[in-house]
Structure formats: structure tokens, C-alpha cells
Amino acid sequence: MSLRYLIVTLFLFVISVSFAQKNGKGKMVTLKYCDRWVEDKINNPGVRDLIGNVSFEDGDATMYCDSARQFTEKNAFNAYGNVHIIKADSINIYGDELLYDGNTKLARLRRNVKLINKNSQLTIETEKLDYDLNTDIGFYFDGGTVTDTSFVLNSIKGYYFVNTGIVNFKNDVKVKTSGSDIFTDTLLYDTNTEIISILGPTNIYTDSVHLYSEDGWHDPRNNYSELKHNSFIQKGAQIIEGEHLVYDGTDKKGEAFKWVVITDTLQQIKIKGKRGKFTEATDYAFVTDSALFIQYSGFDSLFLHADTLSFEPDTNDFRLMKAYHNVKFFRFDIQGKCDSIVYSTYDSVINMYKNPIMWSLNNQMTGNEIHVISKNNHVEQIDMVGDAFLISRVDSIRFNQIKGKKISGYIERNMLRKIYVDGNTESLYYLIDGPYIVGINKAESPYLTIYMKGNKIEKVIMSPKPIGQILDPTKVTPGQLTLENFKWRINERPFTPWEIFKPDPLLVPTVEKKL
């Protein structure tokens, strides 16, 4: 229970108790007029039956009715028919019956009760209303309807503090505004600012979104909300959660602070961060500061971290995700990093830009751009474009290497099955016979196709005629074992989803080891 809710509850308890207490003998209620009265001083002393155009006065309050029974010794009266109380020329209360105590100044109105405040244009309609003429506090407790310039509200209980303009509602509260419907159990309304304060679990429904919060405020005039605790905004399959949410229902824009989670239950996507914005009209959203993108698919879930993540519509109901700066991602079958990424949930294509690098099993891939094509969350093809370099680890000190303008790797069941290199091909790979390395093939050719089986080279096709040689593994120097710009960057690779948040270690040149 929040401290704010506890304070309001205790305050209302004190007020409700005050209704039942007497303040001692008050000023005598004055009978101003009636057409006639009947009084039996012998058999029923101190009691008057007043008939026709009856009016009483008590301080700045005047009370009218068709008939009344006055208890002069008790300083009280009961009024019947067309009851009307005028308080300070601004509060008008109507009803069928009134029980009034002049000592406590408590007016208890029953049946067809209606309170109108001319200054704030607030109206209360109920069957039972208690009104304290001394403190100007009204209370209904058996259901009521409150109407203001911007809403119509229903609740079981309501406390109206006329002097401060505050109304507190409790139990089964329902609010209808021009742009929203609100459902809650406790709510505070300020007639001066026309702001609704959220004091507990509250649901707000507009024509396009569902808002939930347990603390905050809502402006029904401008359709603007600020949500501060356990809050979320839902639109269809998309849910935005945050510690502090702001939503503009007119412009249909929102912002989240401290922490934010955007979930797309249809696409099984979740984005997390510390700050975010979203726009309904364009269906655009972005998250920044420790941003994390997750696409759930069992063991094949994709985890991606970047400085900033954005989402926008793609084909049909699919989404286009863009990640900017210091991008790292992890999936069971692939891991990588780059400066920026564009990812479509429609065709599951990951486009990596600016210094991209990717790892899959024992393979490391680099290029000016890398494009990853997946189907059913399984990688089928990887294209390295511009200064493409593919490195495959044979053992702890030996690596097969391929360079070219463009390298395409084709994958089946998470295993590299075919490699095609287009343009300026350079290759270095080990010839293995059983447990023995029998040679090192180092060659150049315009085009190269390699077929793999069980992570081993099965067949190599170079065209046109290659230039190269087979090196004796017992006679090579360390410098002959790597192609130009070779760098094995295993220390940058994330091996778990949470390592995508780890900063890269200081990069050091690869140390060549002697055979």
C-alpha cells in the first residue's frame, strides 16, 4: 500500500467520523416562513408541523421544502418534498427528504438528491447524500453519479470537499470522458485543475490504447496521462511498460523513463532500455540507454544490444528493427558485432554495416557489410560484401582462410555446406588425411567454390585456372600461415546472451605461434 493512498484513507476516515460527532449546541435554526403550522404544546411540546412554502435559515445556508416537522428543543427538523438547500449562493442541493441537525450542521438528504456547484459546474446525483454545512463537505455512500465539464463518473462512495475543490471517489469507480473510459477502485479529482489523480490500480481505455497504472494522473480535457508506478500502455499485440510513462492521447505519442520494456506478443519480440518514445500514427518506437532487443524462439532466441534501437512497420504486420552504434548480438547459432544493423521480422534478414564481424561455430566472418538470411529462425545464407574475409579454425593454432570481394556461405542444419567466393579470391586451407596434415593449399583465383562435409573441406573448385602452390607443413614459416590482414578476434565474441553488454577488451595484434 502506497504512503499516498494510506494518508488519503486516514483523512477520509477522520472526515467520516466527524459526521457522527456533535460539536455541542450550535446557533438555533431560524424558521423564516411557512404558510401555516400546527403545534400541540400540551401533548407534543417542542414539535411543530410546518406546511406550505417552508424556509429555514442557518448561517449562510437557506433551506426550502413543501412541509417540515421542526424539533425546536433539539434544534433540528425533518423536511419533505421539493427540498432545496442554498449554501453561500454557490452550492445548491435538491432532494425529496432532508434530516437536519442544527447543532452539528449536518444535512442528510434522501431520494433524488442532486448537488450543483455553480462555480465549478460540478453536479452530484445520488439517492443518499450527507452534507456538512459547517465544513462544506459532502459525502455519498450508496452509489452516485458525478458530472463535470469533461466527464461523467459513477462510484459507490464519494467525498466532495467544496472549499478545496477536491473530490475523492471509492469503490467501483467508472469514468466516461470524451476520449477515454476509466475503471478503478480509488480516484481523486481536482475541480480547479480538472485533473484526475490515480491512487491505486487503474485502467484507462481510449479508442486505440489501454493504459494501466497504480499512481499518476490523467487530464481528461486534454486526454493526457502521466503514469508513475507499475504502468503499461497496450495497443493490440504491443505493450509498453515503464516506471514512468507519459501519454498524449491527442497526438497519440508517448514517452517512457527510468526503465522501459516494449513487447510485441504477435512477433514474440521484446525491447528493453532506460528511455523510450513511441508514436501511434507511424507505429514508430525507439529505446535508448542499455537498449536490448530479444526475439524469442526457444533455444534460437536472438539477443541484441545497442546504444539505440528503433522499430517501425514493415510488410503486413511485421516490424523493421534498426540498431545504432556498438551493436552486439547473440543467438545459439550466430554471434556478431558492428556499428549498425537493420533487421526485418518479415524475412528474418540481418543487415550489418560498418566494421561488421560475425561468428558461427568455428567460423569468423568480416566484410564491409554482412547480410544474414534466415528461415524459421535458422541461418540459411551469409553474404560478406567488400573486403570479405572468412576464417575457420582447424585447431588452436591453425586456420583455414578465404578472402575476396564477396563471400557467400550456405548453411544446412547449422553446418557450413558450401562457400562461394566472387572476385579476387585468396585462399589458404589445410589438406588433412585422417589425423595428419599433409599439406597447405595457398592459391589465388577469380572465383572459388568450396563444398564442406562435417566441418571439413570435401571439394574445391577454382576458376579459371588458379595460381598457387601446395606448401609442406613441416617447412613453412609462421608468416606463410596467414593471409594479409588476418586477425582472429575470438576475445570479442559473446558466448552467452549477457556478454553482449560486456565492453570489448583492448584489442592486441594476434601473436603468431610456431608449429
Side-chain angles (χ1 to χ4, degrees):
M1 181 182 294
S2 69
L3 178 61
R4 185 182 180 195
Y5 178 81
L6 182 61
I7 291 173
V8 171
T9 302
L10 290 174
F11 178 64
L12 294 177
F13 173 75
V14 172
I15 291 298
S16 63
V17 170
S18 73
F19 281 139
Q21 294 178 333
K22 289 187 177 182
N23 298 324
K25 275 278 185 180
K27 181 181 177 181
M28 296 299 292
V29 177
T30 303
L31 172 63
K32 298 294 292 181
Y33 179 84
C34 70
D35 290 342
R36 63 189 178 91
W37 83 59
V38 177
E39 183 176 10
D40 186 348
K41 293 184 178 181
I42 296 175
N43 296 315
N44 199 8
V47 178
R48 295 174 180 171
D49 289 326
L50 313 173
I51 303 168
N53 298 308
V54 181
S55 64
F56 294 94
E57 187 177 272
D58 191 1
D60 60 351
T62 304
M63 291 159 271
Y64 303 90
C65 62
D66 292 340
S67 62
R69 172 165 286 189
Q70 183 181 17
F71 306 94
T72 55
E73 294 181 359
K74 295 181 179 180
N75 195 23
F77 66 86
N78 297 342
Y80 308 97
N82 295 309
V83 174
H84 181 195
I85 300 176
I86 302 175
K87 179 68 163 62
D89 294 326
S90 60
I91 299 297
N92 287 268
I93 311 175
Y94 304 88
D96 292 343
E97 182 181 340
L98 165 65
L99 301 139
Y100 184 72
D101 187 333
N103 296 320
T104 62
K105 296 188 181 297
L106 178 62
R108 292 180 290 169
L109 294 100
R110 300 295 182 265
R111 298 195 307 276
N112 299 313
V113 181
K114 188 173 185 177
L115 181 152
I116 301 173
N117 188 331
K118 294 193 297 183
N119 293 337
S120 67
Q121 298 182 5
L122 179 136
T123 300
I124 298 175
E125 296 177 83
T126 180
E127 287 299 298
K128 298 176 181 179
L129 175 74
D130 291 353
Y131 191 91
D132 190 329
L133 293 174
N134 188 48
T135 60
D136 281 317
I137 298 173
F139 168 53
Y140 65 83
F141 46 87
D142 195 25
T145 299
V146 178
T147 305
D148 202 358
T149 56
S150 57
F151 71 82
V152 176
L153 180 148
N154 291 279
S155 67
I156 302 300
K157 296 180 181 180
Y159 299 81
Y160 181 23
F161 303 88
V162 176
N163 294 330
T164 60
I166 300 297
V167 193
N168 185 272
F169 304 99
K170 287 181 65 64
N171 305 129
D172 197 20
V173 183
K174 302 173 184 177
V175 187
K176 177 73 174 179
T177 77
S178 60
S180 63
D181 292 286
I182 304 171
F183 301 89
T184 184
D185 197 58
T186 303
L187 183 146
L188 201 71
Y189 177 66
D190 188 334
T191 61
N192 302 302
T193 61
E194 299 187 44
I195 298 296
I196 292 173
S197 294
I198 298 169
L199 303 178
T202 301
N203 291 282
I204 303 174
Y205 296 90
T206 73
D207 59 350
S208 58
V209 299
H210 168 205
L211 294 82
Y212 174 86
S213 186
E214 297 175 10
D215 187 17
W217 55 267
H218 175 69
D219 182 350
R221 267 186 319 164
N222 300 304
N223 199 11
Y224 189 91
S225 304
E226 188 165 336
L227 314 176
K228 298 181 179 180
H229 183 62
N230 287 341
S231 308
F232 70 76
I233 301 172
Q234 182 174 7
K235 180 186 178 184
Q238 298 166 24
I239 303 171
I240 298 132
E241 303 169 82
E243 180 63 24
H244 187 173
L245 293 174
V246 174
Y247 178 72
D248 187 334
T250 302
D251 293 338
K252 298 188 181 301
K253 294 181 179 179
E255 193 164 0
F257 305 93
K258 294 186 179 179
W259 61 264
V260 58
V261 179
I262 300 177
T263 304
D264 189 321
T265 56
L266 185 64
Q267 301 296 325
Q268 294 294 297
I269 287 172
K270 184 166 287 189
I271 309 174
K272 298 181 179 182
K274 294 183 179 178
R275 183 170 176 264
K277 289 184 178 182
F278 58 94
T279 304
E280 283 187 57
T282 58
D283 205 14
Y284 172 84
F286 91 85
V287 173
T288 189
D289 196 352
S290 303
L292 172 65
F293 166 85
I294 306 173
Q295 184 174 39
Y296 292 98
S297 181
F299 290 109
D300 294 321
S301 296
L302 173 65
F303 298 81
L304 185 147
H305 164 60
D307 292 347
T308 300
L309 295 170
S310 71
F311 257 68
E312 58 191 66
D314 199 2
T315 306
N316 298 326
D317 293 327
F318 294 93
R319 311 282 285 167
L320 191 67
M321 186 274 289
K322 298 179 180 179
Y324 302 96
H325 311 310
N326 301 310
V327 179
K328 275 188 178 182
F329 66 86
F330 174 92
R331 199 167 77 179
F332 175 75
D333 53 343
I334 55 172
Q335 304 84 43
K337 56 175 284 189
C338 60
D339 178 75
S340 55
I341 273 182
V342 177
Y343 172 66
S344 171
T345 61
Y346 171 68
D347 54 16
S348 297
V349 175
I350 300 175
N351 300 294
M352 305 172 62
Y353 302 101
K354 196 171 181 181
N355 302 319
I357 180 170
M358 199 173 77
W359 299 270
S360 177
L361 297 177
N362 292 323
N363 305 302
Q364 174 182 293
M365 293 150 274
T366 56
N368 296 334
E369 298 177 8
I370 297 179
H371 307 284
V372 184
I373 302 170
S374 299
K375 186 176 181 180
N376 298 323
N377 289 315
H378 293 285
V379 176
E380 290 191 340
Q381 182 177 334
I382 301 174
D383 294 328
M384 294 150 271
V385 182
D387 297 324
F389 205 139
L390 170 62
I391 303 173
S392 298
R393 184 171 62 185
V394 177
D395 55 34
S396 60
I397 60 173
R398 298 177 178 87
F399 302 89
N400 292 328
Q401 302 155 55
I402 300 172
K403 293 176 61 177
K405 287 184 178 180
K406 179 182 178 181
I407 301 176
S408 296
Y410 300 90
I411 298 168
E412 295 178 9
R413 297 179 183 178
N414 294 327
M415 298 293 290
L416 188 60
R417 297 302 186 188
K418 177 183 173 183
I419 302 169
Y420 176 72
V421 188
D422 184 359
N424 300 337
T425 299
E426 296 180 51
S427 62
L428 185 153
Y429 58 90
Y430 289 84
L431 305 175
I432 299 175
D433 184 9
Y436 303 106
I437 297 175
V438 297
I440 303 171
N441 190 326
K442 193 172 186 179
E444 298 178 8
S445 64
Y447 306 101
L448 170 66
T449 303
I450 298 178
Y451 294 91
M452 308 287 293
K453 185 176 181 180
N455 208 32
K456 295 181 179 180
I457 296 174
E458 182 181 38
K459 183 179 179 182
V460 177
I461 302 174
M462 296 182 180
S463 62
K465 187 177 180 180
I467 301 173
Q469 57 182 325
I470 304 295
L471 303 177
D472 185 340
T474 63
K475 297 180 180 180
V476 295
T477 63
Q480 293 178 292
L481 296 178
T482 58
L483 300 179
E484 186 178 358
N485 297 323
F486 170 88
K487 186 178 291 184
W488 182 243
R489 296 162 59 182
I490 195 65
N491 55 345
E492 301 174 48
R493 182 179 186 176
F495 287 94
T496 67
W498 316 120
E499 290 186 25
I500 60 178
F501 286 97
K502 290 177 59 177
D504 286 332
L506 294 175
L507 301 181
V508 296
T510 301
V511 178
E512 296 179 346
K513 298 181 180 181
K514 294 183 179 181
L515 295 178

